[in-house]
Amino acid sequence: MTHACPPLPGVLVDRLAGARRVAALTGAGVSAESGVPTFRDAQSGLWARYRPEELATAAAFESDPATVWSWYEWRRDLVAAARPNAGHLALARLESLVPEFTLITQNVDGLHARAGSRRVIEFHGNLFTNRCFAGCGEVTDVPRPCPEPPRCRGCGGWLRPGVVWFGEPIPQPALLAAQAAALECEVFLAVGTSAQVYPAAGLASLAQRAGALVVEINPAPTGLDGAAAVTLPGASGVVLPALVEAVRVARGTRQ
Ligand code: OAD
């Protein structure tokens, strides 16, 4: 992990400082500095220790609700004890500097909202919500901690975590709002994502084809090589505060 901030290209700071619409897509890397494990990092990623098909699919939940539920309870405990880091805080600050800023996150940890971001599209749902597995539509509050999978008040079936599992579609409102933000933005930031899971991974190319400057912030190379015009190789908790401060100063000098 690099702790130094790479040079910030002047053209990027200028584009961000002059932009009316900016979108950002974040992934697990943004929460890594809060102690929340990523998915695909070789040593520390969740998918190095667990098999997605045994824990993050509807079929897995159907065959063993208790195991899947307890894995999500473990992740809820971990995230509840974590705090937003400098990267989350910088993105919340950027929202206050840009007239129309949309934050699309693949993260289900809620740390962007806890950092103060307001316009957040939770593309893959949220760990702390639940819904009926059978889809009866009933909303049931679940007090925590909740060690056993709870029952739905409406139909008596299982309640499941309110996240998107492998093989499931992104809820239409989140998908449409994210695509609109990508199509309309002048600058698109892709931060801390390996860009391997679609449709989220396709948003950067959508933005690029629509004319946005696509900027990647990630200490490691990803599949966004074709879409990103600017790559800032560094940790989001280091790069984002420096970038947002440069934008704040540049915006101030424009007024
Ligand atoms: P991944 O685990 O695939 O990728 C994490 C990325 O974060 C990698 O590219 C790392 O290089 C980068 N990274 C690590 N530390 C960082 C730091 N301090 N600052 C910036 N970047 C850092 O996570 P996602 O791309 O978010 O889906 O994964 C996408 C989806 O796959 C997740 O939402 C989840 C998972 O399966 C579902 O659960 C549906």
Side-chain angles (χ1 to χ4, degrees), residues 1-8 217-219 232-240 242:
M1 177 74 57
T2 169
H3 293 288
C5 186
L8 302 173
I217 299 171
N218 197 313
L232 300 175
S236 51
V238 174
V239 177
L240 281 170

Side-chain angles (χ1 to χ4, degrees), residues 1-2 26-34 37-41 44-47 52 56 71-72 75 85 105-108 123-124 163-168 170 191-198 200 216-222 232 234-239:
M1 177 74 57
T2 169
T26 63
V30 166
S31 295
E33 289 156 88
S34 295
T38 63
F39 292 94
R40 293 178 183 77
D41 283 298
S44 56
L46 288 174
W47 297 153
W71 189 66
Y72 280 91
R75 288 180 60 197
N85 65 53
T105 187
Q106 297 166 89
N107 299 344
V108 295
F123 208 68
H124 290 162
V163 301
V164 175
W165 279 330
F166 286 100
E168 293 183 331
I170 304 301
V191 191
T193 178
S194 63
Q196 291 190 36
V197 175
Y198 285 80
E216 173 165 51
I217 299 171
N218 197 313
T222 73
L232 300 175
S236 51
V238 174
V239 177

Side-chain angles (χ1 to χ4, degrees), residues 222-250:
T222 73
L224 287 181
D225 292 356
V230 177
T231 300
L232 300 175
S236 51
V238 174
V239 177
L240 281 170
L243 181 60
V244 172
E245 176 57 15
V247 171
R248 187 191 68 77
V249 170

